[in-house]
Structures are given as C-alpha cells and as structure tokens.
Amino acid sequence: MPVTAARQPDALLSWMASLADPTRLRLLHLLERHELGVVELCEVLQLPQSSVSRHLKVLVDQGWVEGRAQGTNRLYRTAEGERDTAARKLWLLARDQTGSWPTVQQDRLRLTRRLAEREPAAQAFFAGAAGRWDKLRGDLYGQAFSREALFALLPAEWVVADLGCGTGQTAMALAPHVRRVIGVDQSSAMLRAARKRSAGLANVELRQGSLEALPLEDGSVDAALLLLALTYVSNPGRALDEMLRVLRPGGRAVIVDLLCHDREEFRRQMGQQSLGFAPEALSRLVAQAGLQAVSCRTLSPEPEAKGPALLLASATKPGQLVELRKRR
C-alpha cells in the first residue's frame, strides 16, 4: 500500500473511506489474526454472503486484505505486504477505538466457537458415520477405486492367465495394471462377448480351450486365476494340474469358488458339476497338484448376494520366479 507524496492526500482519503464502515472494521478485526473463508465470515458476522463479499471486495481493492484459492473456496486475511506508514497508523487508531465495541466482542466470541469446531469436525463426522461408513463411501465414491488400488499392487511386468474368463470382466480390470492378460474359456458365446468387451486392448489375448487341457505353454504365466470356474469341471484335480503346468516357478495361483452347500436346484440351474468345496478339501486338492504355501479361507457373503457363500484359495508354484526372469 505504499504511495508517493504527491498521492498522499488522495490515498489518505481512500483509506479513510474504506475504513468508514462498521462491517469493514469488523472484518479487519477478524482477518488480522485468522485466515477465514466467506462462509465462516458470514456465520461470525451474521450477515448474508452478498454483504460480506461486497465489503471484502472494497478491502481487497484498497490493499487491506488479500485472498488465496483453496480448492473451490477462497480464504482471506489481512495483507502481508509492506503497508504505508500512514495507512498503518490509521488502522491502529481505528482498531484501538473500535476494539471495545460490543459487536466486535460478539464477533470474537462467535469466531472462537467457529475455530473450535474446525479441528474436531472430521472426528465428529467419522464418529457419527462409523456405523454407516461403508455404505456412505460406496454411495459417494463407488467401489471401483479400492479395486483399482489393489490391482495397482500387481507387478506391471506380469503375464496373468484368467482361466474360465467368461465375458472378460476380470481380464478387462487386470489389463491396465499388467503387461499381458490371457483369457481362456471353452464357450464360444462367452469368448465373443469377451472379445467385444476387450476390443482395442492390445495386451488382452483370448483363447478357446478346456480348463483340463489349457491352450497355454508350460511356465508361460506369472499368475493364474480360476474365478467361479472349478465347480464347472468334472475333474478339478486335472484343472489344478494344468494351472500348475502353465505357471512359471514362483508364480501365484488364486482360486475363488463356491463353499460347499446343499442347494441342488441351484447347482442344476447354474450347470455346475459339484456343490462347491469345503476349505479343507480344496486345500488338499491344491496341494496334491503340487502347489505350495496353500492358504484357503471363506469369504463373507455380500449383502446383496443370493448365491451360496464363496471361498478363496491361494498358492505358489515351487521355484524362484526372479531367477527364471533373468533368463528371459
């Protein structure tokens, strides 16, 4: 706010005019020590936004106040730049004469309360939302972001086989995160849908074939998935043998399928070969295929799911994946 001596009278009159309003003086009292947004100022001053914004514009134009953007909001505080000595003296006089105004005292009380609400606001939100947070988060942000975050943990150089890929939903989800996805399914109709879905993705390859005789080379993939596919084969052990065969040493196998149930009508309706697997039985099958570090657990049913509960098994092919990579 520095001015030349020639402009001093005009500047002084402008400064006096900008301070000759009780609302602007109240604003300067608040903004001298705190950076505040318009909504907070409206609450403290108990004035409509149009009035507060109008007075803020005058103070900004005269150099008393400066603002900065924060997201979609704008925060204000008294200007930090060098202020003309006369202007500074004028404000100190006005502050001294108005600091004891009852209205200014009320403003300070409301500001103290407003500032106290800032810090625990998030804590209060989560305390009230804890019981409904999962649904609220899903309603606000969807579910895809957590899946994308988990997929991002995959090594980008991996080749992944989606065995029993169906219409390619999982292959499509994996494709942005790994070097290559190979989907295998014996159904021509499913593969047509998968090809349509994956059109334009150069790193997705689809092959027709049986899970018990995979159209894949030995040791050609870093990871293999069997998602809701093992109950459709007449010889699960043979399918797991094939899974082991196509994995590279150290490669990962992941299986999700139905937990053993007694819904025979459901099995017939879905065209499945078995009523699912008990965790111990599936763990035994995976280990008998030659996979190691076998882990198997049941999954919590989702609220909207109408089918039987599921279980998840994971295991590793013996050997060191890193050593084989060096020879590639």
Side-chain angles (χ1 to χ4, degrees):
M1 196 181 285
V3 296
T4 63
R7 289 191 59 243
Q8 188 72 26
D10 292 339
L12 180 62
L13 291 173
S14 296
W15 298 332
M16 292 174 64
S18 62
L19 295 182
D21 183 277
T23 298
R24 292 197 281 272
L25 289 169
R26 293 167 66 191
L27 281 166
L28 287 173
H29 275 286
L30 295 171
L31 296 175
E32 189 174 36
R33 295 186 178 181
H34 301 283
E35 189 177 43
L36 302 167
V38 173
V39 173
E40 292 174 313
L41 290 169
C42 291
E43 181 179 331
V44 173
L45 297 175
Q46 297 185 323
L47 291 173
Q49 183 171 335
S50 57
S51 297
V52 172
S53 296
R54 183 176 71 254
H55 289 296
L56 277 174
K57 184 178 186 308
V58 174
L59 293 174
V60 169
D61 290 344
Q62 288 294 318
W64 295 105
V65 168
E66 60 187 9
R68 69 176 181 89
Q70 186 183 64
T72 58
N73 299 320
R74 194 162 186 82
L75 301 179
Y76 295 90
R77 61 186 300 175
T78 54
E80 293 183 351
E82 183 181 353
R83 183 173 293 165
D84 186 273
T85 302
R88 176 67 178 168
K89 289 180 179 179
L90 184 61
W91 162 240
L92 291 176
L93 176 62
R95 184 180 67 180
D96 180 66
Q97 294 297 311
T98 59
S100 60
W101 282 2
T103 304
V104 171
Q105 297 292 334
Q106 293 286 330
D107 291 344
R108 288 174 182 159
L109 289 174
R110 284 191 291 270
L111 178 61
T112 299
R113 176 186 57 78
R114 186 66 182 85
L115 293 175
E117 292 174 352
R118 274 184 175 181
E119 185 173 343
Q123 297 178 15
F125 169 77
F126 285 112
R132 55 188 176 89
W133 174 239
D134 289 344
K135 182 179 185 306
L136 179 62
R137 186 176 71 165
D139 290 344
L140 292 175
Y141 311 116
Q143 303 296 339
F145 71 91
S146 57
R147 182 191 65 186
E148 291 295 310
L150 293 174
F151 281 146
L153 296 173
L154 290 171
E157 71 275 11
W158 269 17
V159 176
V160 179
D162 182 11
L163 307 177
C165 65
T167 60
Q169 183 177 20
T170 300
M172 284 286 292
L174 285 167
H177 305 284
V178 296
R179 180 162 63 93
R180 188 176 170 211
V181 181
I182 304 173
V184 177
D185 203 284
Q186 65 179 357
S187 168
S188 299
M190 289 288 191
L191 287 174
R192 280 196 299 272
R195 288 191 179 95
K196 183 177 180 180
R197 173 175 265 167
S198 62
L201 290 177
N203 68 332
V204 175
E205 180 183 351
L206 300 172
R207 302 181 185 180
Q208 188 167 11
S210 166
L211 297 180
E212 297 163 276
L214 293 171
L216 295 170
E217 297 76 19
D218 295 355
S220 58
V221 301
D222 299 288
L225 307 175
L226 271 171
L227 306 184
L228 301 178
L230 204 56
T231 49
Y232 284 95
V233 299
S234 57
N235 190 341
R238 178 58 184 162
L240 293 172
D241 289 342
E242 281 290 277
M243 195 179 202
L244 176 76
R245 178 183 66 79
V246 302
L247 281 170
R248 295 188 175 108
R252 297 284 293 168
V254 176
I255 302 150
V256 174
D257 224 300
L258 277 63
L259 183 65
C260 190
H261 63 93
D262 59 0
R263 296 168 60 177
E264 177 61 27
E265 179 60 30
F266 178 89
R267 184 196 68 78
R268 288 199 300 268
Q269 182 182 0
M270 297 299 295
Q272 294 165 343
Q273 297 290 321
S274 73
L275 291 167
F277 304 91
E280 301 80 7
L282 183 57
S283 295
R284 187 165 55 251
L285 281 171
V286 173
Q288 287 172 350
L291 291 157
Q292 64 182 16
V294 180
S295 172
C296 189
R297 62 183 176 89
T298 57
L299 300 177
S300 298
E302 296 187 26
E304 304 301 322
K306 296 179 174 59
L310 304 176
L311 76 172
L312 180 148
S314 62
T316 305
K317 181 172 181 175
Q320 293 295 324
L321 185 61
V322 175
E323 292 179 3
L324 192 62
R325 284 179 179 282
K326 292 179 181 177
R327 298 199 295 270
R328 275 198 263 165

